[in-house]
Amino acid sequence: MPSAPPVTENQASEKQAATTTTTEKHAVKQPPAADRVYAHVKQGVLERRYEGGTLLTEGELGEAVGVSRTPVREALLRLEVEGLIRLYPKKGALVLPVSAQEIADVVETRQLVEEHSVRKSVPASPQLIARLEELLEQQRTQAAAGDLAGAAMTDRCFHAEIVRSGGNEILSRLYDQLRDRQLRMGVAVMHAHPDRITKTLAEHQEILEALRSGDAQAAVDIVHRHVSWFSNLARGEVR
């Protein structure tokens, strides 16, 4: 078998450059340190790994994420602006509990936006029906697996799809601003009332069937009842 021709110096250099370029292309660039801390704390708050009343210190967060204290301070300032924590100099950051007023404000806004949007969604497009069916099945799977954070996220997506289908971009953006508060409250409710997920799934099925049948008023009534029950559960007033 003939031997391969020798590799010239130029060919070797080109091969090295090509390998380096390929490696660089496949290298995953990490986000800035402050962004990593911000994402870590925010996710922890939303998923209740950091519950309301928890005091977070810069040192502990820096160690958890593997960064210095400077980006930790930057991230905490952003989270304070968003109303998730309160900073105390030389002590740390207190995770703020969800207040009764915040619950009332979110529920009122949800009712106004969602009831209007679900009415406008009738007649529902085949694409909307298919997407809601997909999300409902996903939420059933998450509930069965005990993934409460995932189920809360899918719950929020289910309602957001209906809001988007209403066709009002301003309302959609307003609704998106509620995202973090909805997720945090949703996870809290599911942890406090694990049996609630069964009712949530049943109500989502009812909303889907009302949209499928083209009954706008029934869809509005179910959404109102669904969001109102969420308000009562979040306050601990189960009825």
Side-chain angles (χ1 to χ4, degrees), residues 2 11 25-26 54 56 59 79 146 155 157 163 191 205 220 223 234:
Q11 288 173 326
K25 283 181 180 178
H26 289 287
T54 302
L56 308 174
L79 291 162
D155 182 292
C157 290
V163 172
H191 275 279
Q205 184 68 51
V220 170
V223 166

Side-chain angles (χ1 to χ4, degrees), residues 58 72-73 76-78 80 85-89 92-94:
E58 291 179 2
V72 172
R73 292 191 197 102
L76 292 178
L77 285 169
R78 288 169 62 187
E80 184 176 44
I85 64 168
R86 179 174 296 146
L87 291 174
Y88 290 94
L94 182 71

Side-chain angles (χ1 to χ4, degrees), residues 146-171:
D147 180 7
L148 300 183
M153 175 71 79
T154 305
D155 182 292
R156 197 267 168 193
C157 290
F158 183 94
H159 292 277
E161 286 291 337
I162 295 173
V163 172
R164 277 193 289 271
S165 73
N168 188 318
E169 290 298 324
I170 294 176
L171 281 183

